[in-house]
Amino acid sequence: MTIQLYGFWRSNAAFRVRVALALKKLPFEEIDIDILSGRQFDPDYAAVNAGHVVPTLVHDGHRIFQSLAIMEYLDEIQAEPRILPVDAKERAYARSLALVSVADAHPLIVPRVRKQLGEAFGADTAAIEAWCKHWTTEGLATYERLLTRRPAAPFALGATPTIADICVAGQIVLAELYQLDVTAFPQVTALGKRCFELPAFADSHPLRQPGAKTAKVHH
Ligand SMILES: N[C@@H](CCC(=O)N[C@@H](CS)C(=O)NCC(=O)O)C(=O)O
């Protein structure tokens, strides 16, 4: 099978998919769409992804979008190692944890939101950065409360990493990129440390991608 990933070095959603592919040891080719320069709107890519966002996964010519749908698809085409638990309640909990970042925290800070804050509301660079830091911190705080109620053992759902850990790790990546103080989130930090000890997570980190080395803009 051949897999291509339309992504971007700094994209948090693409990071999630890179980790899932790496955990499953599925080889793939990543095609960078520079979303900071507006390449997501180019006609060629708009034809690939109607939402004008990355990631898009192409598997044997078939396109799949939305990082959570992509991760679930990968689990369905290659079960081992599982990144979603088998038990229905555990599966639901894994998805719930994933969605804290995927649906609640991360969408508030993507380029199109930052752009709209500036264009429609006159927010300057400092105000936009403060907005991003606020919502990233809120996401971390929610994860901290959840991981306090049910401590990771050693991963969020148990012995092996799942979509939940991938999304918590993504939220930590955002905290790093925004240079946030994470001392108030010890459970999250400990889980992140465990995740990034694994090559699948470490090698997928935005700052480890080729595009990061040539990029001028980090925020
Ligand atoms: N919910 C989507 C997120 C898609 C998304 O917003 N991706 C960002 C990068 S992480 C993007 O391409 N943004 C382009 C823009 O905002 O213009 C997913 O999880 O795949």
Side-chain angles (χ1 to χ4, degrees), residues 62 95 121 139 199 214:
H62 182 78
R95 289 187 178 117
F121 304 103
T214 46

Side-chain angles (χ1 to χ4, degrees), residues 126-208:
I128 294 170
E129 179 140 343
W131 167 281
C132 292
K133 287 182 172 176
H134 172 80
W135 292 115
T136 301
T137 305
E138 285 293 303
L140 292 168
T142 301
Y143 276 138
E144 185 67 20
R145 290 192 296 274
L146 287 161
L147 292 172
T148 302
R149 281 179 203 187
R150 176 174 166 177
F155 293 101
L157 273 290
T160 55
T162 66
I163 55 169
D165 305 285
I166 294 174
C167 296
V168 173
Q171 200 62 30
I172 292 167
V173 165
L174 294 174
E176 288 169 7
L177 294 174
Y178 284 108
Q179 299 175 326
L180 296 178
D181 178 1
V182 293
T183 47
F185 313 119
Q187 304 290 334
V188 174
T189 307
L191 177 56
K193 190 168 174 293
R194 248 164 268 142
C195 288
F196 285 103
E197 276 165 7
L198 302 176
F201 285 78
D203 297 343
S204 302
H205 194 290
L207 299 180
R208 294 275 292 269

Side-chain angles (χ1 to χ4, degrees), residues 11-13 16 35 40-41 52-55 66-67 102 106 110-112:
S11 159
N12 211 253
R16 296 175 200 130
I35 58 170
Q40 66 273 38
F41 304 108
H52 305 157
V53 291
V54 294
Q66 287 289 352
S67 60
V102 173
H106 172 245
V110 292
R112 61 192 176 284

Side-chain angles (χ1 to χ4, degrees), residues 6 9 32 59 70 122 127 155 183 200 217:
Y6 288 93
W9 67 270
D32 250 22
H59 175 211
I70 296 169
F155 293 101
T183 47
V217 193

